[in-house]
């Protein structure tokens, strides 16, 4: 179901009074055997509790100010099973979660609760066999798009449904009054602000979003139609990348899209910054543009200036230690500018594989953005820059070794580093700066081996990059293996206790969404050109996969793949015809379109040969393409 703007972001926010119980029982009805305590809050200083046994309840009734569809989330810990988190509308249950026995906090959500103006909503925590603690409620507007997956593999359907509900629960309601600068040292924050279009991207115990996390979540957010949030958050980072900051964007923002998260910012010369993020934000702005078709991505001066500075002045100002056109870090820690996302390493890195890979993709994105803006000369300039950087990487920067012997970073003393570097290892193939062939194949084997063994990162959000890495080189079975690993670990405790289980790290659900649509389904949107391309990347043991409500620009589509030989696209809603490039692996002389043979074209994509045809798909039309 596609929601209109009024449903996605109601003009008057739906507010829960005293959502963190910091004002005691204000706004809440509390029975005997329940109340507010200070013993084990999730955030702030207080929480609601219910003793074990039947009949205890903590509830609040709210009159809906306008029509809307909402998610309601709360952090809950339990000493036994049988409790409930419930939403009732006008006395009728509209959503309910049965609470398991879990003595540490996890986040539970009542999804897509529809309200009409004037409806009475009741939110309630109800007792079970053991104690229940509840804290930090949140209201999220339901995502504008609610894609539906069906497949021969029921696990993928389960995974996608969990991911879209969990991802949407992190979306902030614009106009909400919420705390600023909440972190592990300031559990109640430093004041209040009005939240804008945004979603959680980073630690759930901090009141903001992070450039690195958001960059990895943008495509998943696009799948849910969260284009307003993507643009607002990207614009905040773009505006912060000033000359005073040496063209680094700041690391994190509060949900008001204005104020910097104080834990990460001390002064213009001392704030968290990592080289890959600057470049990833350019790359991801281009992706957001291809999904949304919003011309602001090429017309807005703040965004455009950021792209230009990030791909020119930023590189020039951070290329002094080893002048070679590759942006550098200082080797002095994250508050002085780190070369790599691998914060667990104490290596004093000047250049890193994740940074040079991200720089390559930023150049490619700049070329595409310039082309869309109509500046063909600039587009060609950055196409050449990308090609030259890739050639330099493969011929010189990465050395001549293979597998664990390939160079993945340089220290500030100029020493080349090989072996396992986590992010500065797997980002190199993920960003496709590595030429396809035996050397890259050996490195992908090495990444899989390390991540499966002693080199496995402790934090699930790092592992969430691995499916993208293997999809980039058509290693579909391995990519699917890692998607399943991330999903299967969703209930395990995160190493950071305040995070709760792994599944409550926002990056997990967002990346599983994008890895289903862009990875398994191979969807490449181009809303500005009213086109899309697709190619099945399903694993060998999956027979078919279909997704309804893929929103690209103003249209929504249904796409189905049967193995790697047959695809069908339906242009469901919207007034525009779209050009569909249907791709299939291998070399084929013809592609059958709606039962009629057409001559096939071929192209090589990252070392693999594909056959394709292009066909216009009109509104309400279904087109089928297949190869023998």
């Amino acid at each position: 179901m596609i929601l209109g703007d009024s449903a996605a972001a109601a003009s008057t926010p739906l507010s829960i009074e005293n959502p963190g119980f910091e004002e005691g029982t204000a706004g809440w009805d509390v029975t005997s055997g329940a109340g507010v305590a200070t013993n084990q809050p999730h955030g702030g200083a207080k929480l609601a509790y219910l003793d074990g046994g039947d009949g205890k309840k903590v509830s609040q009734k709210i009159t809906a100010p306008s029509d809307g569809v909402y998610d309601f989330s709360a952090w809950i810990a339990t000493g036994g099973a049988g409790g409930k988190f419930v939403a009732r509308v006008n006395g009728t249950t509209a959503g309910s979660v049965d609470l398991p026995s879990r003595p540490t906090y996890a986040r539970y959500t009542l999804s897509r609760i529809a309200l009409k103006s004037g409806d009475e909503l009741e939110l309630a925590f109800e007792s079970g066999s053991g104690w229940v603690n509840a804290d930090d409620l949140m209201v999220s507007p339901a995502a504008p798009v609610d894609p539906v997956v069906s497949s021969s593999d029921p696990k993928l359907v389960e995974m996608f449904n969990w991911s879209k509900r969990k991802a949407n629960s992190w979306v902030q309601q614009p106009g909400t009054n919420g705390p600023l600068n909440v972190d592990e040292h300031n559990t109640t924050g430093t004041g209040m602000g009005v939240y804008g279009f945004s979603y959680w991207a980073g630690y759930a115990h901090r009141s903001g979003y992070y450039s690195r996390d958001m960059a990895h979540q943008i495509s998943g957010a696009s799948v849910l139609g969260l284009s307003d949030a993507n643009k607002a958050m990207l614009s905040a980072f773009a505006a912060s990348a000033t000359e005073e900051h040496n063209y680094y964007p700041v690391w994190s923002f509060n949900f008001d899209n204005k104020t910097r998260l104080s834990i990460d910012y001390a002064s213009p010369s001392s704030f968290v910054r990592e080289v890959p993020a600057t470049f990833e934000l350019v790359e991801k702005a281009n992706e957001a543009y291809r999904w949304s078709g919003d011309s602001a991505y090429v017309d807005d001066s703040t965004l455009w200036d950021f792209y230009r500075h990030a791909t020119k002045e930023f590189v020039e100002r951070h290329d002094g230690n080893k002048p070679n056109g590759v942006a550098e870090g200082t080797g002095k820690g994250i508050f002085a500018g780190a070369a790599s996302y691998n914060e667990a390493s104490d290596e004093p890195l000047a250049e890193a594989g994740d940074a040079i890979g991200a720089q390559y993709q930023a150049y490619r994105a700049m070329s595409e953005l310039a082309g869309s803006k109509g500046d063909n000369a600039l587009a060609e300039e950055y196409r050449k820059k990308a090609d030259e950087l890739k050639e330099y990487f493969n011929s010189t920067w990465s050395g001549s070794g293979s597998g664990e012997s390939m160079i993945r970073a340089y220290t500030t003393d100029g020493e080349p580093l090989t072996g396992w570097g986590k992010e500065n290892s797997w980002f190199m193939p993920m960003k496709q700066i590595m030429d396809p062939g035996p050397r890259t194949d050996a490195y992908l084997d090495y990444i899989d081996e390390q991540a499966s063994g002693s080199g496995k990162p402790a934090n699930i959000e790092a592992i969430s990059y691995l499916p993208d890495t293997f999809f980039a080189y058509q290693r579909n079975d391995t990519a699917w293996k890692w998607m399943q690993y991330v999903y299967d670990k969703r209930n395990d405790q995160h190493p950071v206790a305040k995070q709760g289980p792994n599944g409550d790290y926002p990056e997990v659900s967002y990346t599983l969404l994008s890895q289903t649509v862009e990875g398994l389904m191979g969807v490449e949107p181009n809303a500005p050109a009213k086109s899309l391309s697709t190619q099945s990347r399903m694993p060998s043991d999956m027979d078919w996969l279909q997704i309804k409500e893929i929103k690209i620009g103003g249209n929504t589509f249904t796409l189905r793949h049967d193995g790697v030989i047959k695809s069908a696209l339906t242009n469901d809603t919207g007034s525009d015809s779209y050009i569909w490039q249907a791709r299939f692996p291998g070399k084929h002389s013809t592609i059958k379109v709606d039962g009629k043979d057409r001559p096939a074209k071929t192209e090589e994509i990252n070392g693999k040969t594909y056959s394709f045809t292009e066909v216009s798909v009109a509104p309400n039309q279904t087109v089928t393409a297949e190869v023998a």
Side-chain angles (χ1 to χ4, degrees):
M1 178 178 67
I2 306 298
L3 300 177
D5 290 341
S6 61
S11 55
T12 303
L14 178 69
S15 298
I16 299 171
E17 184 180 351
N18 188 21
F21 302 99
E22 298 305 299
E23 299 171 27
T25 59
W28 295 93
D29 295 318
V30 179
T31 67
S32 176
V36 172
T38 60
N39 57 326
Q40 289 289 336
H42 173 264
K46 298 178 182 179
L47 71 149
Y49 73 88
L50 296 85
D51 292 334
D54 293 338
K56 286 82 172 178
K57 182 177 176 180
V58 175
S59 62
Q60 181 172 150
K61 291 182 177 179
I62 303 163
T63 300
S66 57
D67 295 357
V69 183
Y70 302 91
D71 287 4
F72 300 97
S73 303
W75 290 90
I76 304 172
T78 59
K84 289 183 180 294
F85 177 33
V86 185
R88 298 182 179 90
V89 178
N90 300 325
T92 301
T93 298
S96 179
V97 175
D98 294 326
L99 301 174
S101 177
R102 186 182 183 105
T104 55
Y105 277 103
R107 200 163 182 268
Y108 299 88
T109 300
L110 303 167
S111 297
R112 301 188 82 83
I113 306 298
L115 298 171
K116 296 291 187 182
S117 178
D119 279 350
E120 183 185 73
L121 167 71
E122 181 191 32
L123 296 175
F125 304 99
E126 298 176 351
S127 59
S129 62
W131 55 264
V132 174
N133 290 348
D135 202 358
D136 294 335
L137 283 84
M138 175 176 164
V139 182
S140 298
V145 182
D146 186 21
V148 177
V149 161
S150 53
S151 174
S152 59
D153 190 330
K155 184 171 186 179
L156 175 61
V157 177
E158 175 190 300
M159 180 189 298
F160 191 86
N161 288 337
W162 175 86
S163 298
K164 70 178 180 179
R165 299 299 181 229
K166 179 62 73 171
N168 190 81
S169 76
W170 299 110
V171 178
Q172 295 292 351
Q173 183 182 201
T176 296
N177 236 2
L180 304 177
N181 297 318
V182 174
D183 58 51
E184 53 270 36
H185 308 298
N186 293 299
T187 57
T188 58
T190 60
M192 301 291 284
V194 178
Y195 290 175
F197 285 102
S198 57
Y199 48 81
W200 232 293
Y203 285 133
H205 57 279
R206 296 180 182 174
S207 61
Y209 54 86
Y210 283 73
S211 55
R212 170 184 175 166
D213 296 75
M214 188 207 64
H216 204 202
Q217 292 176 217
I218 278 176
S219 293
S222 297
V223 170
L224 295 178
L226 301 175
S227 55
D228 287 336
N230 280 343
K231 184 170 68 173
M233 296 159 75
L234 282 165
S235 296
F237 285 117
S240 74
T242 60
E243 185 174 9
E244 182 182 40
H245 292 146
N246 264 324
Y247 298 112
Y248 270 108
V250 301
W251 192 233
S252 57
F253 274 95
N254 284 290
F255 295 119
D256 61 356
N257 296 331
K258 297 176 183 177
T259 55
R260 302 176 290 261
L261 203 58
S262 58
I263 193 172
D264 300 307
Y265 190 94
S267 73
S269 60
S270 179
F271 61 97
V272 177
R273 51 211 140 130
E274 297 175 8
V275 173
T278 306
F279 297 125
E280 280 213 288
L281 292 175
V282 179
E283 175 194 359
K284 300 302 180 175
N286 186 46
E287 286 187 20
Y289 178 42
R290 302 299 152 186
W291 274 105
S292 68
D294 188 339
S295 61
Y297 283 104
V298 291
D299 292 338
D300 180 83
S301 60
T302 298
L303 287 168
W304 188 255
D305 286 348
F306 168 67
Y307 312 150
R308 295 289 284 123
H309 293 317
T311 55
K312 188 176 187 296
E313 286 89 349
F314 178 80
V315 178
E316 293 168 353
R317 289 194 179 202
H318 302 280
D319 184 29
N321 189 67
K322 179 184 177 183
N324 57 354
V326 177
E328 301 169 352
T330 63
K332 298 178 181 179
I334 58 176
F335 272 84
S340 174
Y341 280 153
N342 185 1
E343 297 174 357
S345 170
D346 58 1
E347 298 166 333
L349 302 184
E351 296 179 1
D354 43 349
I356 192 172
Q359 184 175 338
Y360 166 68
Q361 284 295 336
Y363 285 169
R364 290 191 60 189
M366 188 69 230
S367 177
E368 292 184 9
L369 290 162
S372 295
K373 195 175 176 69
D375 192 335
N376 294 329
L378 190 63
E380 178 63 14
E381 176 187 339
Y382 275 91
R383 185 195 65 77
K384 288 182 178 178
K385 279 180 174 284
D387 290 347
E388 289 168 358
L389 187 63
K390 185 173 186 177
E391 194 281 331
Y392 171 66
F393 172 89
N394 287 282
S395 66
T396 305
W397 193 94
S398 59
S400 58
S402 181
E404 67 177 349
S405 299
M406 194 178 82
I407 295 170
R408 44 89 180 171
Y410 290 85
T411 69
T412 52
D413 292 332
E415 178 188 356
L417 299 179
T418 58
W420 183 232
K422 296 182 180 176
E423 284 89 344
N424 52 70
S425 288
W426 66 67
F427 262 63
M428 295 187 291
M430 189 184 80
K431 294 301 184 183
Q432 299 181 42
I433 196 171
M434 295 181 69
D435 283 336
R439 188 167 183 246
T440 295
D441 290 341
Y443 204 68
L444 289 167
D445 291 341
Y446 174 65
I447 290 170
D448 191 39
E449 175 188 349
Q450 289 295 310
S452 299
S454 60
K456 181 177 292 180
N459 54 329
I460 197 71
E461 61 272 23
I463 298 172
S464 72
Y465 286 100
L466 294 179
D468 301 311
T469 299
F470 291 103
F471 277 130
Y473 289 84
Q474 318 307 321
R475 292 199 174 194
N476 305 330
D477 285 1
T478 308
W480 173 234
K481 177 190 78 172
W482 284 109
M483 285 179 68
Q484 293 180 88
Y485 178 89
V486 169
Y487 181 65
D488 290 344
K489 295 294 183 181
R490 69 193 183 281
N491 293 321
D492 290 3
Q493 180 64 37
H494 191 276
V496 178
K498 280 284 189 182
Q499 271 300 125
N502 283 332
D504 284 333
Y505 199 98
E507 203 168 347
V508 168
S509 52
Y510 279 84
T511 54
L512 289 174
L513 290 177
S514 60
Q515 286 156 3
T516 301
V517 177
E518 295 182 334
L520 294 170
M521 297 296 279
V523 173
E524 294 183 14
N526 193 349
K530 293 183 173 55
S531 68
L532 72 155
S533 64
T534 67
Q535 63 188 70
S536 172
R537 296 197 189 102
M538 291 189 298
S540 56
D541 61 355
M542 193 179 295
D543 295 328
W544 62 272
L545 172 58
Q546 176 179 284
I547 303 183
K548 293 183 177 180
E549 293 189 22
I550 300 171
K551 189 174 191 296
I552 300 172
N555 287 46
T556 60
F557 301 87
T558 297
L559 175 65
R560 175 178 170 126
H561 292 315
D562 288 273
V564 296
I565 63 170
K566 183 178 181 181
S567 301
L569 183 73
T570 303
N571 190 344
D572 290 312
T573 64
S575 58
D576 294 317
S577 295
Y578 270 60
I579 299 298
W580 175 33
Q581 185 184 95
R583 294 184 194 152
F584 300 93
K587 190 170 184 178
H588 301 273
S589 58
T590 61
I591 295 174
K592 199 178 291 292
V593 177
D594 289 339
K596 297 180 179 179
D597 284 337
R598 287 190 177 195
K601 300 177 182 178
T602 60
E603 64 179 333
E604 187 174 287
I605 302 173
N606 213 24
K608 304 291 185 183
T609 298
Y610 289 88
S611 300
F612 69 93
T613 188
E614 294 181 334
V615 58
S616 178
V617 185
N620 302 312
Q621 182 184 13
T622 298
V623 174
T624 300
E626 58 185 314
V627 295

